[in-house]
Amino acid sequence: MAFPAYAQDSSGNNDDNVIIVTAQKRSESLQEVPISIQAFTGATLDQHQVASFDDYAKMLPSVSFQSFGPGQSQIYFRGVSSGANANGSHSGPQPTSAIYVDEVPLTTIGGAPDLHIYDMERVEALSGPQGTLYGASSLSGTLRLITNKPNPGKFEGGVDASVTTFGKGDNSSGGSLEGFVNAPLNETMALRVSAFYERVGGYIDNVPGSRTYEIYDAEGDLVPFTVDNDQYVEKNFNNVETWGGRAALGIDLDDNWTVLPSIIYQKQKSHGAFLFDAAVGDLEVQDYTPEYGSDEWYQAALTIKGKISDWDVTYAGGYFEREAEVVQDYSAYTVAYDAVYPSYVSFLDANDEIIDPTQTYRGFDKYTKQTHELRFSSPEGNAWHLIVGAFYERQTDAIDADYIIPGLAASPYGYAVPGCGDDIFCTRVDRIDRDYAGFVDLTVDITPALSVNGGIRYFKTNNSLSGFSGTAGTVGNTEACTPSSDPRLPCLLFDRTVKEDGETHKVNVTYKINPDAMVYATYSTGFRPGGINRRVGVNPYKSDTLDNYEVGAKTMLFDRMLTLNVTGFYEEWNDLQFGLSSANSLGVISTYNAGNARIYGVEGDFNLRLDRFTLSGSASYIDAKLTSDFCAIDPGTGNPDCTIEDYIPTPAGTRLPTQPKFKGQMTARYGFDVGSTRSFVQGTVNHQSGARSYLTVDPFTGGILLPPTAGFTSFDFSLGADMGSWKWSMFVENAFDERGILSLNTVCVPSICGAYARSYPIKPRMFGIKVGATFD
């Protein structure tokens, strides 16, 4: 089921419980919230075997994403995307969409943490700018993951186990073991604990290959140099293991005040590549270096709720820490440069023998994030409702990026960056982003049917970037790169701070036609803070903003058997932040306020309930294009120069990347009894059209650097039964093994490595069996 207006048990039988959401910082029925929101209950997540980000992203029609694999995804709402993973860096722009766990933001500067989905109350997806209530990085939308809370009134627990496989062969099988316990400690305290282990098998093969470089030898002659990948050949080598847990302690201090401390821990280990090379074969690559990833994080949070007089008071604070490492084959960059500049990849050791120039990329980020929010809400039941609050956030990222050629440091010729091992290029950067904000949100009921809502948020940002990013030649430039006391740094190349302030606002008018139908109109704005470029001499980039105009309707028809919601919108994206490289930058990118874009579309969902049969679906149509030319980048200053002729990185009218014009899904579910067993059968069809993979075109020819993806359709099926405290299901995802491609990505700048872009596919056909039990 896609976006149900009512909860549903595992057999498909409806109970009549309205879904309650907290998207507007207060509890409301989903059908009475005048914004475009999709909500999945815990039962719906279970019915669709949702365990990771990829699983629920395909159910959200207005959400698109780019990814290099687990923990390396960037999500976007409504096509507000410039293709960050294809051109960005962790010292570049913040995300355009925010992710929250309960009351605390989980968004990080780089790829979003891939929280394992288990023991969840619901998932809420809020389309459009949410800046008045959710602040920075809510430019295009906000995704909220709401966990199940401790309950002092009931002891309960559960355990679930699954076995999955992508097909035959070693390393293709996986499975999971999950469990939770809710334990009342006394009448006013309860502890809820959940834990899990999951292994996802591999489905991409690293197959044998060889390549020959043309390299200058010690005599200055171009000679062939052949390498192979025999030691890294492996079938189904992209397996993933994830484990962790969550604990929350609910304490009722009295009838008005509650305290909820909680902690989430997760560790993920991945191997291999999650994008394949169609030029090599279906779900195949030829990689020449080790490839693996590690992502370990925790989030500690504290929520306090109570009353002062009859006003509600909420404090939500959190501390997040994450260490993420990824090691990838970077040899496409080597191959591309060998074809154009052989001298750039020609290295000799102490014996004047050729060094294998094949590069490995290692990225390591240590993130921290501290957030505090305090807000006051007026009493319910009045003709007006007021929320007033303050917010503070400080997030850091210690960025290490190594571009490694083994053996380089031992060469006497000074190729390697001093202090960075075998690096031909080295990045050691410390980033700090601070956000201070105050916000007010007021709703007034003009009549029982007509309501007006307005909100405003004033913000100040203070962002800094310091460190080193360059080659051995950069270190040798003593005028630009000064000595540093930090042992991580070869030298200090930049140390900059940029400050901004501004406001974002919202106005909404809602009219309730009757208890089962409402219409609304909204004007809202969003912002994303600016930042600093790591290239010396390149100016900082400022905030980009979004103006959003939308109208919508929410209806329940035919005695509430049919729920139908639809929203139309038009958005103007101003001064969008985008990474570009100048002609002589050797692929080093900088972020600019490159231009403007416009986005319009319609999104909607329906849910039809006919006794035990449910048919539900959701879809979006989104058209997103640039409305101004991107200026060329002056190769001398590294800054935009709109007077440079015959060099336009991207012209007006170019379609924005990542988001397909059409994306939709539909689910049919039928519940039936077999004796005393409640059973079900379910089928889901997912379809999306093709999408552009990268925004910039070749500035000289106008050609596309990365081609668009093709549209695709996939099918999922499941059946199972609920036998009281026990349940089981069998399922197959992507039943016909459709090779749907979500995006084409390249680890280096597409103008250099575009010919070597790889495809990020949906999961191939996967079979699974799941059993579960509950106890109380």
Side-chain angles (χ1 to χ4, degrees), residues 63-347:
V63 169
S64 59
F65 69 99
Q66 287 181 297
S67 181
F68 285 109
Q72 301 178 71
S73 299
Q74 291 276 18
I75 70 169
Y76 316 99
F77 282 78
R78 291 182 173 174
V80 183
S81 165
S82 60
N85 260 344
N87 60 31
S89 69
H90 290 191
S91 56
Q94 292 189 25
T96 65
S97 302
I99 299 176
Y100 274 67
V101 176
D102 295 321
E103 296 277 357
V104 178
L106 189 66
T107 318
T108 55
I109 297 166
D114 192 1
L115 173 66
H116 180 80
I117 303 299
Y118 179 68
D119 196 30
M120 285 283 170
E121 181 180 335
R122 65 186 181 277
V123 171
E124 298 177 6
L126 287 58
S127 295
Q130 307 295 323
T132 53
L133 289 177
Y134 292 96
S137 293
S138 293
L139 182 76
S140 67
T142 298
L143 185 68
R144 305 183 68 231
L145 310 174
I146 312 300
T147 63
N148 282 320
K149 305 301 186 296
N151 179 8
K154 180 182 180 181
F155 176 85
E156 61 178 337
V159 62
D160 295 275
S162 69
V163 176
T164 59
T165 183
F166 286 109
K168 298 179 180 179
D170 296 339
N171 234 10
S172 64
S173 298
S176 65
L177 181 63
E178 306 162 314
F180 79 92
V181 173
N182 181 88
L185 304 180
N186 54 42
E187 294 182 352
T188 61
M189 295 178 60
L191 177 66
R192 192 176 189 100
V193 177
S194 63
F196 71 92
Y197 170 82
E198 180 186 37
R199 185 186 190 277
V200 179
Y203 48 84
I204 292 179
D205 300 336
N206 193 18
V207 299
S210 65
R211 60 165 60 115
T212 299
Y213 300 105
E214 293 292 326
I215 295 178
Y216 286 104
D217 63 11
E219 284 71 39
D221 298 322
L222 274 176
V223 297
F225 184 84
T226 301
V227 298
D228 62 54
N229 67 341
D230 291 352
Q231 62 179 315
Y232 302 114
V233 170
E234 185 178 358
K235 187 175 179 63
N236 301 320
F237 78 143
N238 65 317
N239 62 86
V240 184
E241 290 183 286
T242 312
W243 63 92
R246 184 173 69 246
L249 178 65
I251 306 171
D252 294 331
L253 300 179
D254 56 27
D255 291 340
N256 293 324
W257 288 88
T258 63
V259 177
L260 181 68
S262 63
I263 189 166
I264 303 173
Y265 170 81
Q266 181 171 297
K267 185 165 185 177
Q268 189 171 69
K269 287 190 173 182
S270 59
H271 306 87
F274 291 82
L275 294 84
F276 73 93
D277 188 343
V280 174
D282 183 38
L283 298 180
E284 293 181 339
V285 297
Q286 289 178 339
D287 283 350
Y288 292 77
T289 73
E291 292 182 298
Y292 57 87
S294 176
D295 191 354
E296 183 175 22
W297 59 270
Y298 71 88
Q299 183 195 68
L302 174 65
T303 303
I304 302 173
K305 294 186 177 183
K307 287 184 178 291
I308 296 179
S309 183
D310 54 356
W311 283 62
D312 293 323
V313 181
T314 301
Y315 165 79
Y319 180 78
F320 170 83
E321 191 168 304
R322 178 188 187 193
E323 292 187 355
E325 180 184 26
V326 60
V327 174
Q328 296 173 322
D329 186 325
Y330 201 71
S331 59
Y333 186 88
T334 310
V335 173
Y337 261 87
D338 176 60
V340 182
Y341 308 112
S343 61
Y344 185 78
V345 296
S346 298
F347 309 106

Side-chain angles (χ1 to χ4, degrees), residues 550-571:
E550 65 181 74
V551 294
K554 293 191 171 185
T555 62
M556 291 182 285
L557 306 170
F558 309 117
D559 198 23
R560 299 194 171 189
M561 288 191 301
L562 173 64
T563 300
L564 179 63
N565 302 323
V566 63
T567 302
F569 58 88
Y570 175 81
E571 297 180 335

Side-chain angles (χ1 to χ4, degrees), residues 47 191 461 508 750:
Q47 291 163 12
L191 177 66
T461 62
N508 170 274

